[in-house]
Amino acid sequence: MRMRIVDAFTDRPFAGNPAGVLLLDDVFPDDDWLQNVAMEVNHAETAFAHPLPQGGEVDWALRWFTPVAEVAMCGHATLATAHVLHTTGAHEGPVRFATRSGVLIATPAPDGSITLDFPTAPLTPAEIPAGVAEALGAEPVAAFDTGPNVGDLLVQLADEKTVLGLAPDHKALGAFSARGIIATARADAPSRGYDFVSRCFFPNVGIDEDPVTGSAHTALAPHWSARLGRDDLTGLQASRRTGLVRTGLRGERTLLTGRAVTVIEGELHA
């Protein structure tokens, strides 16, 4: 089996968010094997996909694993999988994935970008939990629950500089949500090509800081669209690797657009 490492939400190697991608010929092997492969790859997520019978409502089955757990939804590994399907000729045109989060669609564009159609996260205002400011290293101005698919606490901070300067206590952050914390703020200078910034910390699934998180943008899109008055925005995830995610709020669905680059291809022997 061919294993690939793909950098997603970037147009150059060694940026964006790396994901392992393994295309299977048939049904998924047992969960322990899938988890062991993801642990061996040791990136934020490894995606496993296999083709489904032609003529149905979906084309490929897709699952995602971090090094320590399976997750309900992952944007960057879905983008990486769609990139592999299209660049290898395994699938042409839009691809419909059957996942734990329902049917997710990835549509390629002539310019090489791929747009993901994901469910919009249902944001619910929440009390700012006691201790979150100390764990994060900054005082939130607002907090929101992001629902079961995302499973994070979204916190809005005062400004972009505060988000960029965060040095959180990762272990302590795990107490506040199922997966972790999304920290965000409005961009200081939208002329730089992005409207908001974010950083994502997911200690409960073994990821201290995720480089670029597609699923988080299903919550960031409605949050910032409501405040900036536009449905189409661009977010900068300001991790060390950085990456850009173009978001399009379409009611109960959110479009996530980005590029991807295959950086490693090898053979899995296990």
Side-chain angles (χ1 to χ4, degrees):
M1 290 179 286
R2 303 298 292 174
M3 170 66 74
R4 296 166 177 88
I5 305 299
V6 178
D7 289 345
F9 291 115
T10 183
D11 59 0
R12 65 186 192 278
F14 315 125
N17 200 351
V21 178
L22 186 62
L23 301 184
L24 304 164
D25 293 330
D26 206 341
V27 298
F28 294 115
D30 66 77
D31 289 1
D32 287 343
W33 186 87
L34 297 171
Q35 188 63 72
N36 282 333
V37 172
M39 181 177 63
E40 190 77 7
V41 172
N42 201 35
H43 282 311
E45 264 89 14
T46 297
F48 301 90
H50 70 76
L52 295 170
Q54 294 184 2
E57 296 182 352
V58 285
D59 306 304
W60 288 73
L62 177 63
R63 296 172 69 181
W64 314 275
F65 286 77
T66 78
V68 300
E70 185 173 9
V71 296
M73 186 168 67
C74 179
H76 86 277
T78 304
L79 179 64
T81 304
H83 169 79
V84 170
L85 289 172
H86 296 135
T87 56
T88 62
H91 190 91
E92 295 183 358
V95 54
R96 301 163 298 175
F97 293 111
T99 78
R100 288 174 58 182
S101 298
V103 176
L104 306 178
I105 302 173
T107 303
D111 66 359
S113 65
I114 295 172
T115 296
L116 308 177
D117 183 333
F118 271 43
T120 301
L123 295 182
T124 304
E127 294 290 332
I128 298 172
V132 73
E134 291 76 12
L136 194 58
E139 187 69 46
V141 298
F144 302 85
D145 180 85
T146 59
N149 283 341
V150 177
D152 300 325
L153 181 71
L154 186 151
V155 296
Q156 183 177 337
L157 302 183
D159 51 35
E160 179 176 335
K161 181 180 178 181
T162 302
V163 173
L164 299 183
L166 292 175
D169 179 338
H170 296 286
K171 184 176 180 180
L173 286 181
F176 303 107
S177 68
R179 184 171 69 165
I181 298 284
I182 305 167
T184 188
R186 184 179 304 202
D188 289 344
S191 60
R192 295 176 182 168
Y194 54 91
D195 302 290
F196 59 88
V197 298
S198 66
R199 290 175 68 188
C200 294
F201 309 102
F202 304 141
N204 290 339
V205 291
I207 305 166
D208 282 348
E209 180 167 6
D210 198 33
V212 191
T213 314
S215 61
H217 283 77
T218 66
L220 290 163
H223 179 81
W224 287 113
S225 289
R227 286 153 182 78
L228 300 178
R230 288 183 287 122
D231 289 338
D232 297 317
L233 302 169
T234 298
L236 170 71
Q237 193 154 330
S239 65
R240 181 179 176 183
R241 294 173 63 102
T242 75
L244 291 172
V245 182
R246 301 203 314 267
T247 65
L249 186 63
R250 304 293 184 266
E252 294 183 355
R253 308 296 294 183
T254 293
L255 305 180
L256 309 172
T257 300
R259 296 175 179 270
V261 181
T262 300
V263 292
I264 297 173
E265 182 174 349
E267 187 171 346
L268 179 66
H269 293 278

